[in-house]
Amino acid sequence: MIIAAAHYRLEHGDLALVLALVRGGSLARAAELLKVDVSTVFRAVRRLEKALGEELFEKSRAGYLPGSTALLLAQQAEQAEQALEAARVALEQGREVLNGTVRLTCTDSVLHGLLLPALARFMPNYPALHLELATSNDFANLSRRDADIALRLTNAPPQHLVGRCLGQVAYGLCASPAYLQGRDASDLAAMAWIAPDEFLPNHPSVVWRRQRYPALVPAYRCNSMLSVAEMARAGLGVAALPRFLIGDGLQALEGELPDCDTALWLLTRPDCRALRSVVTLFDELGGAIRLGP
């Protein structure tokens, strides 16, 4: 921001304006969010940009594209919005309210199979706490500070992270009853297999299959264990899945696969232990995630 901006005192209305334009992407949508007419938004943006001495948005046929200053102001506006919401909730409930934003990363299979049921159990107790969820198989998300908490299936969590082991996850073979109908369930090698692709070359299920059936070539491959489960549920073939994904629509074919157990780790960065919002969510997840039946 150039020196001219130092002579202008930002007000709450300015932040609300910028946030509405960043969220809406157009004058019309921002006007709807602010409950004013389009000309009012247009004039307000022009006045603010003139006062700050720079263009906050790139105007194009695609809409209003925010520049770096606009994104910075929108971030501050969101924090103010969250603080105001926390104050309102605190007044209503007559007690201190935890607020802030916590960024959490996990794989899509862990998200749907374990995390979402856990969040449903305790998140209603924290109405002013905001979550940003990202699905990824990469530990670098935490290392690059792109996330505050990670849930990972691994037997070797990075040593630079602080963690808690939530238990062991077993794997089993399964298929849909429709796919198994009329087939010899004991002749697994003759069936169509669904498996992770090269994106997960060292996945426990892949390592087990190559040892047990070295000549077998999967009929279907995909880069997501959740997709593997959904394809099996759709009746396309047999899959080796973590037990928490073997639910309705799938039938287990045999017992737990040997040497496939993987630990579920709840991880965070050492510097996050000073953040009350992160510590609270970390502890809640540790108590709410259930690996058993």
Side-chain angles (χ1 to χ4, degrees):
M1 192 177 297
I2 63 176
I3 295 177
H7 302 297
Y8 179 75
R9 186 179 180 87
L10 281 170
E11 298 180 355
H12 180 268
D14 298 326
L15 294 180
L17 170 68
V18 173
L19 183 58
L21 262 176
V22 169
R23 287 175 171 172
S26 68
L27 290 175
R29 180 58 183 148
E32 290 178 10
L33 294 173
L34 294 171
K35 295 180 172 56
V36 297
D37 57 55
V38 172
S39 60
T40 298
V41 176
F42 177 73
R43 291 193 299 269
V45 173
R46 291 194 63 180
R47 282 197 301 268
L48 181 58
E49 289 182 332
K50 182 177 180 180
L52 296 178
E54 67 172 294
E55 287 192 356
L56 298 174
F57 297 87
E58 178 185 342
K59 292 80 174 175
S60 70
R61 291 182 178 179
Y64 273 53
L65 304 178
S68 58
T69 301
L71 291 174
L72 176 62
L73 292 176
Q75 181 182 13
Q76 297 298 321
E78 284 188 329
Q79 292 177 7
E81 188 178 69
Q82 291 172 11
L84 181 59
E85 181 183 354
R88 287 171 176 162
V89 174
L91 282 174
E92 292 173 0
Q93 299 185 358
R95 61 180 177 84
E96 184 182 2
V97 173
L98 185 69
N99 72 319
T101 299
V102 180
R103 299 164 299 171
L104 194 154
T105 179
C106 63
T107 63
D108 55 359
S109 60
V110 170
L111 173 68
H112 288 271
L114 296 173
L115 178 60
L116 293 183
L119 292 177
R121 282 192 281 273
F122 68 81
M123 279 304 293
N125 298 326
Y126 302 99
L129 184 63
H130 300 264
L131 289 186
E132 293 181 359
L133 297 174
T135 54
S136 168
N137 294 294
D138 191 4
F139 274 118
N141 279 37
L142 222 56
S143 303
R144 292 196 307 263
R145 299 175 181 268
D146 292 340
D148 306 308
I149 295 175
L151 273 168
R152 289 287 183 256
L153 287 168
T154 179
N155 288 322
Q159 294 184 355
H160 64 279
L161 298 177
V162 178
R164 180 190 304 175
C165 181
L166 301 183
Q168 295 294 122
V169 174
Y171 286 73
L173 283 179
C174 63
S176 73
Y179 178 80
L180 293 173
Q181 188 173 4
R183 289 183 168 87
D184 181 2
S186 64
D187 190 6
L188 294 173
M191 297 186 182
W193 281 62
I194 309 162
D197 62 14
E198 290 74 13
F199 188 70
L200 297 169
N202 299 314
H203 193 274
S205 65
V206 174
V207 174
W208 174 86
R209 189 196 74 241
R210 287 173 177 167
Q211 293 174 346
R212 178 77 176 269
Y213 302 101
L216 191 148
V217 178
Y220 306 95
R221 298 176 189 265
C222 46
N223 65 355
S224 155
M225 288 304 295
L226 184 62
S227 297
V228 171
E230 291 306 313
M231 291 177 73
R233 189 170 284 108
L236 293 174
V238 174
L241 294 173
R243 286 292 182 183
F244 63 78
L245 286 182
I246 304 177
D248 294 340
L250 289 173
Q251 178 179 325
L253 295 177
E254 58 180 52
E256 296 179 2
L257 304 184
D259 302 321
C260 261
D261 284 13
T262 308
L264 178 67
W265 281 87
L266 182 61
L267 301 162
T268 187
R269 304 192 312 270
D271 59 290
C272 285
R273 288 180 295 180
L275 301 175
R276 183 166 169 247
S277 56
V278 174
V279 171
T280 299
L281 182 60
F282 189 95
D283 290 340
E284 288 281 15
L285 287 171
I289 292 178
R290 300 169 183 171
L291 294 175

